[in-house]
Amino acid sequence: MEILIIGTGYVGLVTGTCMAEMGHHVICLDINEEKVAQLNQGIIPIYEPGLHELLMRNVASGRLKFTSSYPQSLTDSKVCFLCVDTPVAADGSANLHQIRSASAAIGAHMSGDLLIVVKSTVPPGTASVVQKTVQEALDERGVLYGFDVVSNPEFLKEGNAVNDCLKPDRVVIGTNRAESSEIMKEIYAPFMLNHERLMIMDVASAEITKYASNIMLAARISLMNELAGICEKVGANIDKVRLGVGSDSRIGYQFLYAGAGYGGSCLPKDVKAMISFANGLGYNAEMLQSINRVNERQKHVIFGKMKAYFEKAGGLAGKTFAILGLSFKPDTDDLREASALVLIEELLKAGASVRLFDPVAMPAAKKAVPPGERVFYAKDEISAADGCDAIVLMTEWKQFRFLDFEKVSTVLKKMVFFDGRNQYSPDKMQKIGFDYISIGKKNAYADSLKKTETQIPVTP
Ligand SMILES: NC(=O)c1ccc[n+]([C@@H]2O[C@H](COP(=O)([O-])OP(=O)(O)OC[C@H]3O[C@@H](n4cnc5c(N)ncnc54)[C@H](O)[C@@H]3O)[C@@H](O)[C@H]2O)c1
């Protein structure tokens, strides 16, 4: 099938590439001309494991093309997927500016019947906004074309996006029209050879399903972070609690990790968007507000622990800290709402210096936090730790699991480790000689005398 993808970011680029891999003819359109030029030169503007090889193969086969021209790309397409960004607006609601703008462009340039599929995460009612905007543009041109708007929210995870897209857990389609669902079934047929995973429902339910999924995941994290705070109060260990709770088959182990808060382009914005949407309906979504509040608080927990630890050693000003991991989670270069950025800002404000390292997110990070007198980008973990008063782990990249502590201890000024992702065992870290401070567990001090001197308050 001839498919147009509008918006060539994490979702659009992966979706377009995977659709081409399944034999469809795909044009990926983006208003960012620099991005399109890069893609046409085989340069992928995002980090996503497995994407490069797949993309190059499909470009070479002629099934995948990139453009910034609406008129050209709409001529041949029968179906177009809207994959533009829907960022959080100042009031917390979903900003639909790009959805409206892309819909107006579709109406201004379509030259035949079209099925419009909304893949971006959008609040209930957005399909009608798209319908109205396209129709207005068609009316302005005085032309008559048939079109329908379908909801098809995306569930891929950055870092595993190619796999998620090629083998989706489920494909949710929101439509009331049989003709539209038949086209969607045809598009997704090659993805369902193993077994059927397509769910057809009404548009509003499909739109809400996406938010519900992210809210559920965010809720699990915030709940564990809340329990981690209680564990600290009583000297319990949140990791042990996680195992005890996760072993209940009704609950399971996924998304039960306490840490320095969730970030990314989806969870924070989608929770906020649903709070705002509910508010607009006069509905007070109390639980959603709590999920968000706990997460906002959690992003400051590590800074609080650092401040408390160094209080008796002259404070944070003038100290240097190695921050390992900058992206909001491993296997991506995405920094949107990353907890590391919140911590860096707080440390710089407190007068500290930072030495930063991330396996892939440093080019993106340099734009968000430019290198300077107190901001240094290191070439690896050891160089980041050089001369530092402590190491702070903020993203659980696999390569950080086995840090070369022997080398690290020769370059560190002080053997102090703040673990924002609970990656290490307190006992082992203590044995190596670290003062080890994590989340939801007792702090472990290398020197037991220090314990009374620098006991850290337990509340986040
Ligand atoms: N990133 C994820 O993990 C993920 C997962 C599931 C769903 N989503 C949702 O998918 C949507 C896209 O997310 P993303 O992370 O891919 O965003 P992104 O910011 O990476 O990409 C969006 C792209 O759309 C382009 N764009 C904006 N307006 C345009 C227009 N009028 N015409 C053509 N191109 C336009 C931008 O230039 C950009 O390249 C969002 O609604 C997001 O919530 C994201």
Side-chain angles (χ1 to χ4, degrees), residues 9-11 30 35 70 85-86 98 121 154 158 269 336:
Y10 286 89
V11 168
D30 205 289
K35 198 179 255 191
Y70 268 96
D85 41 316
T86 49
Q98 299 298 5
T121 304
E154 180 53 57
E158 283 176 28
K269 107 173 149 56
R336 288 178 278 190

Side-chain angles (χ1 to χ4, degrees), residues 354-370:
V354 289
R355 294 176 66 83
L356 311 174
F357 175 70
D358 186 285
V360 304
M362 297 219 285
K366 281 178 186 167
K367 289 183 194 151
V369 187

Side-chain angles (χ1 to χ4, degrees), residues 111-250:
S111 55
D113 293 354
L114 190 68
L115 181 64
I116 301 168
V117 184
V118 183
K119 206 165 233 328
S120 301
T121 304
V122 291
T126 305
S128 310
V129 173
V130 173
Q131 180 96 29
K132 195 163 162 268
T133 313
V134 174
Q135 191 57 57
E136 278 169 5
L138 289 176
D139 291 347
E140 216 165 276
R141 288 166 65 198
V143 292
L144 204 64
Y145 294 121
F147 74 95
D148 187 27
V149 183
V150 165
S151 166
N152 172 213
E154 180 53 57
F155 298 97
L156 63 75
K157 303 178 284 296
E158 283 176 28
N160 195 44
V162 170
N163 200 36
D164 287 343
C165 195
L166 290 173
K167 295 179 201 146
D169 287 340
R170 75 293 207 196
V171 172
V172 170
I173 310 286
T175 178
N176 297 324
R177 289 189 71 227
E179 299 91 316
S180 301
S181 47
E182 283 313 308
I183 298 174
M184 295 305 288
K185 278 183 194 164
E186 197 183 326
I187 293 172
Y188 279 108
F191 295 83
M192 306 278 140
L193 292 183
N194 182 269
H195 65 282
E196 182 69 41
R197 278 153 287 156
L198 204 112
M199 298 175 193
I200 306 218
M201 54 183 82
D202 61 278
V203 177
S205 299
E207 288 169 328
I208 291 187
T209 299
K210 172 64 195 176
Y211 283 101
S213 299
N214 278 350
I215 287 166
M216 197 73 78
L217 298 173
R220 286 170 73 101
I221 299 172
S222 277
L223 196 51
M224 287 309 278
N225 282 333
E226 191 85 301
L227 291 166
I230 297 170
C231 281
E232 289 181 11
K233 287 267 186 212
V234 297
N237 181 329
I238 191 67
D239 281 344
K240 300 226 160 87
V241 173
R242 179 179 64 80
L243 293 175
V245 171
S247 57
D248 184 328
S249 59
R250 294 167 303 175

